[in-house]
Amino acid sequence: MEKLEMLYEGKAKKVYKTDDPNYYWIEYKDDATAFNGEKKGTIVDKGIVNNKMSALLFKMLEEKGVPTHFESLVNDREQIVKAVKILPLEVIVRNVAAGSLAKRLGLEEGTPMKKTVLEFCYKNDELGDPMVNDDHIFAMDFATELQLETIKHYAYKVNELLKAFFIKRGLKLIDFKLEFGVYEGKVILADEISPDTCRLWDAETNKKMDKDRFRRDLGDVEAVYQEVLGRIQG
Ligand code: UDP
């Protein structure tokens, strides 16, 4: 496959066309942002960690029956994915209260919850990704009823698969964000799964092993990204 012109540059990735209209070529960057782009920086080799980790996790999920956009790795920083049309929703899955939920409800981070919580945000940087409910999603046509039902089904399934996967590697999956796209009329998992998009705490010590180290200036950022990749590669 051939890498053609850049279609889009996001905060963490560049998306290129290929000579096959069914596939995109993704390049993962080391650029890091937080608080809706207010905080900017670099996490050295983050692009390599996130590229490899997403590839490994998407492959595992696909094998367990979750359709994903992942096709193949090109090199340390690049991968080929199906050319999906991304639905304008961020799907947040929460197992333990943390981050914006802890803040919103006045809970201490780490507070257990009686059930898994799904949240949806409208993907729009100018608006700061506002939270929306099912009615907003249908009213604004962000997704159809059938698409949302499929998204919820896959989101819970991905959660169960990831929780089991990570705990075997000594990591607790606190929360994470998914994005879905439409390919050949079907909803499939897209974007990435990495320490940028998950909260992962060490199972023994509760050490934060994710982008919160960058967001909150906790130090050790690069080492922790490498540690997570090392653990999941086994
Ligand atoms: N998240 C993400 N991208 C976003 C917002 C959230 O990947 O634009 C992830 C974040 O890393 C965390 C989960 O979704 O694992 C829940 O994030 P939260 O709503 O607590 O927001 P944050 O504290 O990151 O602002």
Side-chain angles (χ1 to χ4, degrees), residues 11 35 90-94 98-102 104 109 119 121 129 174-179 195-199 211-212 215-216:
K11 284 175 280 192
F35 312 119
E90 299 205 333
V91 180
I92 313 267
V93 185
R94 301 180 182 276
S100 69
L101 175 70
R104 195 180 332 129
E109 277 205 313
E119 291 172 359
C121 297
D129 300 337
I174 303 301
D175 58 32
F176 59 100
K177 185 261 303 179
L178 298 175
E179 294 186 24
D196 275 11
T197 65
C198 299
R199 280 196 173 90
K211 195 170 153 187
D212 275 345
R215 292 190 189 100
R216 303 177 188 185

Short mmCIF file of all heavy atoms in Angstrom, two decimals, residues 11 35 90-94 98-102 104 109 119 121 129 174-179 195-199 211-212 215-216, ligand 1:
data_model
loop_
_atom_site.label_atom_id
_atom_site.label_comp_id
_atom_site.label_asym_id
_atom_site.label_seq_id
_atom_site.Cartn_x
_atom_site.Cartn_y
_atom_site.Cartn_z
N LYS A 11 -4.71 16.01 17.23
CA LYS A 11 -3.80 16.35 18.32
C LYS A 11 -2.74 15.28 18.52
O LYS A 11 -1.62 15.60 18.90
CB LYS A 11 -4.61 16.58 19.61
CG LYS A 11 -5.33 17.94 19.59
CD LYS A 11 -6.22 18.13 20.79
CE LYS A 11 -7.53 17.40 20.61
NZ LYS A 11 -8.55 17.75 21.59
N PHE A 35 -6.71 19.18 28.87
CA PHE A 35 -7.64 20.27 29.17
C PHE A 35 -8.06 20.97 27.87
O PHE A 35 -7.91 22.19 27.73
CB PHE A 35 -7.03 21.24 30.19
CG PHE A 35 -6.41 20.53 31.37
CD1 PHE A 35 -5.06 20.66 31.66
CD2 PHE A 35 -7.19 19.69 32.16
CE1 PHE A 35 -4.49 19.98 32.73
CE2 PHE A 35 -6.63 19.01 33.23
CZ PHE A 35 -5.28 19.15 33.52
N GLU A 90 -17.77 10.81 21.73
CA GLU A 90 -16.78 10.16 22.57
C GLU A 90 -17.57 9.31 23.55
O GLU A 90 -18.48 9.81 24.22
CB GLU A 90 -15.94 11.20 23.33
CG GLU A 90 -15.20 12.11 22.37
CD GLU A 90 -13.95 12.73 22.95
OE1 GLU A 90 -13.87 12.90 24.18
OE2 GLU A 90 -13.04 13.04 22.15
N VAL A 91 -17.24 8.05 23.60
CA VAL A 91 -17.95 7.11 24.46
C VAL A 91 -17.04 6.84 25.65
O VAL A 91 -15.95 6.29 25.51
CB VAL A 91 -18.25 5.81 23.70
CG1 VAL A 91 -18.99 4.82 24.59
CG2 VAL A 91 -19.05 6.12 22.43
N ILE A 92 -17.47 7.26 26.84
CA ILE A 92 -16.66 7.10 28.05
C ILE A 92 -17.23 5.95 28.86
O ILE A 92 -18.45 5.89 29.09
CB ILE A 92 -16.69 8.39 28.91
CG1 ILE A 92 -16.43 9.63 28.07
CG2 ILE A 92 -15.77 8.26 30.12
CD1 ILE A 92 -15.05 10.12 27.97
N VAL A 93 -16.36 5.03 29.25
CA VAL A 93 -16.77 3.89 30.08
C VAL A 93 -16.04 4.03 31.41
O VAL A 93 -14.82 4.22 31.44
CB VAL A 93 -16.38 2.56 29.40
CG1 VAL A 93 -16.90 1.38 30.21
CG2 VAL A 93 -16.88 2.50 27.96
N ARG A 94 -16.81 3.95 32.51
CA ARG A 94 -16.21 4.16 33.83
C ARG A 94 -16.51 2.99 34.77
O ARG A 94 -17.68 2.65 34.95
CB ARG A 94 -16.78 5.43 34.47
CG ARG A 94 -16.54 6.69 33.66
CD ARG A 94 -17.14 7.87 34.39
NE ARG A 94 -16.98 9.12 33.64
CZ ARG A 94 -15.89 9.89 33.67
NH1 ARG A 94 -14.86 9.54 34.41
NH2 ARG A 94 -15.86 11.01 32.97
N ALA A 98 -13.40 8.75 38.78
CA ALA A 98 -12.13 9.48 38.65
C ALA A 98 -12.36 10.66 37.72
O ALA A 98 -13.46 10.81 37.16
CB ALA A 98 -11.03 8.56 38.09
N GLY A 99 -11.34 11.49 37.58
CA GLY A 99 -11.36 12.58 36.61
C GLY A 99 -12.59 13.46 36.72
O GLY A 99 -12.99 13.86 37.82
N SER A 100 -13.20 13.76 35.56
CA SER A 100 -14.29 14.73 35.53
C SER A 100 -15.53 14.23 36.28
O SER A 100 -16.30 15.03 36.81
CB SER A 100 -14.64 15.11 34.09
OG SER A 100 -15.24 14.02 33.43
N LEU A 101 -15.73 12.92 36.35
CA LEU A 101 -16.89 12.40 37.08
C LEU A 101 -16.72 12.64 38.59
O LEU A 101 -17.66 13.08 39.27
CB LEU A 101 -17.10 10.91 36.81
CG LEU A 101 -18.23 10.28 37.64
CD1 LEU A 101 -19.60 10.78 37.18
CD2 LEU A 101 -18.19 8.77 37.59
N ALA A 102 -15.53 12.36 39.11
CA ALA A 102 -15.26 12.55 40.53
C ALA A 102 -15.48 14.03 40.89
O ALA A 102 -16.09 14.36 41.90
CB ALA A 102 -13.83 12.13 40.85
N ARG A 104 -17.33 16.31 39.17
CA ARG A 104 -18.73 16.69 38.96
C ARG A 104 -19.62 16.28 40.13
O ARG A 104 -20.50 17.02 40.54
CB ARG A 104 -19.23 16.04 37.66
CG ARG A 104 -20.51 16.61 37.13
CD ARG A 104 -20.98 15.91 35.81
NE ARG A 104 -19.91 15.35 35.02
CZ ARG A 104 -19.89 14.08 34.56
NH1 ARG A 104 -20.88 13.25 34.82
NH2 ARG A 104 -18.89 13.65 33.84
N GLU A 109 -11.52 10.45 44.13
CA GLU A 109 -11.06 9.57 43.05
C GLU A 109 -10.77 8.19 43.62
O GLU A 109 -10.15 8.07 44.68
CB GLU A 109 -9.78 10.12 42.41
CG GLU A 109 -10.05 11.14 41.36
CD GLU A 109 -8.90 11.22 40.35
OE1 GLU A 109 -7.74 11.27 40.77
OE2 GLU A 109 -9.21 11.24 39.13
N GLU A 119 -20.96 7.18 29.43
CA GLU A 119 -21.29 8.59 29.15
C GLU A 119 -20.99 8.86 27.68
O GLU A 119 -20.08 8.24 27.10
CB GLU A 119 -20.42 9.53 30.00
CG GLU A 119 -20.73 9.51 31.48
CD GLU A 119 -19.71 10.32 32.29
OE1 GLU A 119 -18.75 10.87 31.72
OE2 GLU A 119 -19.88 10.37 33.51
N CYS A 121 -20.15 12.06 24.91
CA CYS A 121 -19.87 13.46 24.68
C CYS A 121 -19.89 13.74 23.19
O CYS A 121 -19.47 12.88 22.39
CB CYS A 121 -18.49 13.83 25.25
SG CYS A 121 -18.41 13.63 27.04
N ASP A 129 -16.29 19.42 24.02
CA ASP A 129 -16.88 18.07 24.07
C ASP A 129 -17.99 17.95 25.12
O ASP A 129 -17.85 17.18 26.09
CB ASP A 129 -15.79 17.00 24.35
CG ASP A 129 -14.70 16.95 23.30
OD1 ASP A 129 -14.94 17.38 22.15
OD2 ASP A 129 -13.60 16.46 23.61
N ILE A 174 -9.60 1.89 35.19
CA ILE A 174 -10.48 2.81 35.93
C ILE A 174 -11.56 3.37 35.00
O ILE A 174 -12.76 3.32 35.30
CB ILE A 174 -9.65 3.97 36.53
CG1 ILE A 174 -8.53 3.42 37.43
CG2 ILE A 174 -10.55 4.96 37.27
CD1 ILE A 174 -9.00 2.56 38.58
N ASP A 175 -11.14 3.92 33.87
CA ASP A 175 -12.09 4.43 32.86
C ASP A 175 -11.36 4.55 31.53
O ASP A 175 -10.14 4.40 31.47
CB ASP A 175 -12.70 5.79 33.29
CG ASP A 175 -11.67 6.87 33.54
OD1 ASP A 175 -10.62 6.88 32.89
OD2 ASP A 175 -11.91 7.74 34.41
N PHE A 176 -12.12 4.76 30.47
CA PHE A 176 -11.50 4.93 29.15
C PHE A 176 -12.50 5.54 28.17
O PHE A 176 -13.69 5.62 28.45
CB PHE A 176 -10.95 3.60 28.60
CG PHE A 176 -11.97 2.50 28.44
CD1 PHE A 176 -12.53 2.22 27.19
CD2 PHE A 176 -12.37 1.74 29.53
CE1 PHE A 176 -13.47 1.19 27.04
CE2 PHE A 176 -13.30 0.70 29.38
CZ PHE A 176 -13.84 0.44 28.14
N LYS A 177 -11.95 5.98 27.05
CA LYS A 177 -12.76 6.62 25.99
C LYS A 177 -12.64 5.82 24.69
O LYS A 177 -11.54 5.41 24.31
CB LYS A 177 -12.23 8.04 25.78
CG LYS A 177 -13.03 8.88 24.81
CD LYS A 177 -12.48 8.98 23.42
CE LYS A 177 -11.07 9.51 23.32
NZ LYS A 177 -10.60 9.55 21.91
N LEU A 178 -13.78 5.59 24.07
CA LEU A 178 -13.80 4.90 22.76
C LEU A 178 -14.41 5.82 21.71
O LEU A 178 -15.21 6.70 22.03
CB LEU A 178 -14.65 3.62 22.83
CG LEU A 178 -14.20 2.53 23.80
CD1 LEU A 178 -15.24 1.40 23.82
CD2 LEU A 178 -12.83 1.97 23.40
N GLU A 179 -14.02 5.58 20.47
CA GLU A 179 -14.70 6.22 19.33
C GLU A 179 -15.08 5.13 18.34
O GLU A 179 -14.36 4.14 18.20
CB GLU A 179 -13.79 7.26 18.67
CG GLU A 179 -13.52 8.43 19.60
CD GLU A 179 -12.73 9.56 18.94
OE1 GLU A 179 -12.76 9.68 17.69
OE2 GLU A 179 -12.08 10.30 19.69
N PRO A 195 -2.52 4.68 26.83
CA PRO A 195 -2.51 5.43 28.10
C PRO A 195 -3.02 6.87 27.94
O PRO A 195 -3.30 7.54 28.93
CB PRO A 195 -1.03 5.42 28.51
CG PRO A 195 -0.45 4.25 27.80
CD PRO A 195 -1.17 4.18 26.48
N ASP A 196 -3.14 7.34 26.68
CA ASP A 196 -3.76 8.66 26.44
C ASP A 196 -5.27 8.62 26.67
O ASP A 196 -5.88 9.64 26.98
CB ASP A 196 -3.54 9.10 24.99
CG ASP A 196 -2.20 9.79 24.76
OD1 ASP A 196 -1.35 9.76 25.67
OD2 ASP A 196 -2.04 10.37 23.67
N THR A 197 -5.87 7.45 26.45
CA THR A 197 -7.33 7.37 26.43
C THR A 197 -7.90 6.49 27.54
O THR A 197 -9.13 6.32 27.60
CB THR A 197 -7.83 6.84 25.06
OG1 THR A 197 -7.38 5.49 24.91
CG2 THR A 197 -7.32 7.68 23.90
N CYS A 198 -7.02 5.91 28.35
CA CYS A 198 -7.46 5.06 29.46
C CYS A 198 -6.88 5.59 30.76
O CYS A 198 -5.77 6.11 30.76
CB CYS A 198 -6.91 3.64 29.35
SG CYS A 198 -7.38 2.73 27.91
N ARG A 199 -7.59 5.40 31.86
CA ARG A 199 -6.95 5.54 33.17
C ARG A 199 -6.61 4.13 33.64
O ARG A 199 -7.50 3.28 33.73
CB ARG A 199 -7.86 6.23 34.19
CG ARG A 199 -7.89 7.71 34.05
CD ARG A 199 -8.46 8.44 35.26
NE ARG A 199 -8.28 9.87 35.06
CZ ARG A 199 -9.18 10.65 34.47
NH1 ARG A 199 -10.34 10.16 34.07
NH2 ARG A 199 -8.93 11.93 34.28
N LYS A 211 -2.07 9.03 31.18
CA LYS A 211 -1.86 10.44 30.82
C LYS A 211 -2.08 11.40 31.99
O LYS A 211 -1.64 12.55 31.91
CB LYS A 211 -2.78 10.80 29.64
CG LYS A 211 -2.42 12.09 28.95
CD LYS A 211 -3.24 12.22 27.68
CE LYS A 211 -3.46 13.65 27.29
NZ LYS A 211 -4.39 13.71 26.16
N ASP A 212 -2.70 10.95 33.06
CA ASP A 212 -2.82 11.82 34.24
C ASP A 212 -1.43 12.25 34.74
O ASP A 212 -1.30 13.33 35.34
CB ASP A 212 -3.61 11.14 35.37
CG ASP A 212 -5.12 11.34 35.20
OD1 ASP A 212 -5.53 12.22 34.41
OD2 ASP A 212 -5.88 10.61 35.86
N ARG A 215 -1.07 15.29 32.58
CA ARG A 215 -2.08 16.29 32.93
C ARG A 215 -1.76 16.97 34.25
O ARG A 215 -1.94 18.17 34.40
CB ARG A 215 -3.47 15.64 33.06
CG ARG A 215 -4.08 15.11 31.78
CD ARG A 215 -5.54 14.71 32.04
NE ARG A 215 -6.12 13.99 30.92
CZ ARG A 215 -6.25 12.66 30.86
NH1 ARG A 215 -5.86 11.90 31.88
NH2 ARG A 215 -6.78 12.09 29.80
N ARG A 216 -1.33 16.16 35.24
CA ARG A 216 -1.18 16.66 36.61
C ARG A 216 0.29 16.85 37.01
O ARG A 216 0.57 17.00 38.20
CB ARG A 216 -1.86 15.67 37.57
CG ARG A 216 -3.33 15.46 37.22
CD ARG A 216 -4.00 14.42 38.10
NE ARG A 216 -5.35 14.11 37.62
CZ ARG A 216 -6.20 13.32 38.24
NH1 ARG A 216 -5.85 12.74 39.38
NH2 ARG A 216 -7.40 13.09 37.73
N1 UDP B 1 -10.70 10.85 27.62
C1 UDP B 1 -10.09 10.90 26.39
N2 UDP B 1 -10.28 12.00 25.59
C2 UDP B 1 -11.07 13.05 25.96
C3 UDP B 1 -11.70 12.99 27.22
C4 UDP B 1 -11.50 11.89 28.02
O1 UDP B 1 -9.38 9.96 25.99
O2 UDP B 1 -11.20 14.00 25.19
C5 UDP B 1 -10.51 9.67 28.50
C6 UDP B 1 -9.63 9.99 29.70
O3 UDP B 1 -8.27 9.68 29.43
C7 UDP B 1 -10.19 9.10 30.77
C8 UDP B 1 -11.67 8.94 30.40
O4 UDP B 1 -11.76 9.29 29.03
O5 UDP B 1 -9.59 7.82 30.72
C9 UDP B 1 -12.58 9.83 31.22
O6 UDP B 1 -12.13 11.16 31.17
P1 UDP B 1 -12.81 12.32 32.05
O7 UDP B 1 -14.20 12.53 31.56
O8 UDP B 1 -12.63 12.01 33.47
O9 UDP B 1 -12.05 13.63 31.62
P2 UDP B 1 -10.63 14.18 31.99
O10 UDP B 1 -10.42 14.00 33.43
O11 UDP B 1 -9.69 13.39 31.12
O12 UDP B 1 -10.75 15.61 31.56
#
